[in-house]
Amino acid sequence: MKRPKVIAGNWKMYKTVAEAADFVKKLAPLVAASQPEVLLAVPYTAIRSARDAAQGSKVQIGAQNMNDAREGAFTGEISASMLLDAGAQFVVLGHSERRHIFGESNQFINRKVKRALKEGLRVILCVGESSQEREADQTEEVLRKQLEESLSGIEEKQRLIVAYEPVWAIGTGRSASAEIAQQTHFFLRSLLGEEVWMLYGGSVKPDNVAEFLSQPDIDGVLVGGASLDPESFAKIVQQG
Ligand code: PGA
């Protein structure tokens, strides 16, 4: 099955309200004629300004996390309906920085995925093994568990995107080889089926993106560092 590519950026904790609007205004004309879908996961505070700046363009704006509860006494948390209200069209869930720095479990992520889909957001669910797990030959076992537990009880696949991001490749400049990425995506495809979009993430740059996008089971990429500059992100989108 041939799917339109998805190129997603994840800004992490970078960019103010004004910087976000400025970025989107610069990016939009650079990607207007490109094939792929273009998604940008921005800080909560910049969702509204980024969405306003993206009006009339193909750039979709989303968030990088949310809480699973509908509302309640959860100081400092943000709900799915608040994200929608601010203009978000999708949310990234289970990013390895959330799992490792903030201790998020598959069970918590599962509740978030359910909530996000129920409220009408698209979801980019991230999974990935650590370097120790890969060296110990546990990659498939770890990914299977992450997927089974994070997606437990979820039938909806239309609005689900899964991003495979090996932990050892995130922010390290050491991307997986296209061959390893394809092998792992092939395994994930066997668990997820044909209708789920699957992105590779981890040190994707303008000069290595083409090799990932040419693999049969890679439907796009999730880009951290190289999504912070509009020209570099546009160069990635233009190869999709
Ligand atoms: P990176 O980050 O592109 O900077 O490696 C990827 C990610 O964290 O999604």
Side-chain angles (χ1 to χ4, degrees), residues 93-136:
L93 295 174
H95 188 278
S96 84
E97 286 151 17
R98 301 293 325 165
R99 292 174 186 268
H100 296 118
I101 305 173
F102 301 102
E104 291 192 6
S105 65
N106 288 327
Q107 288 68 27
F108 188 29
I109 294 162
N110 177 241
R111 296 199 302 274
K112 296 186 196 211
V113 176
K114 284 183 175 151
R115 172 69 61 192
L117 292 173
K118 183 166 175 217
E119 304 268 347
L121 287 160
R122 271 172 107 184
V123 169
I124 301 181
L125 169 70
C126 303
V127 295
E129 82 288 359
S130 66
S131 57
Q132 294 91 318
E133 288 161 345
R134 179 159 285 273
E135 275 151 29

Side-chain angles (χ1 to χ4, degrees), residues 18-40:
E19 286 165 353
D22 188 51
F23 178 107
V24 173
K25 291 219 174 80
K26 286 194 176 122
L27 177 71
L30 300 176
V31 300
S34 310
Q35 289 284 330
E37 278 197 78
V38 181
L39 277 63
L40 271 182

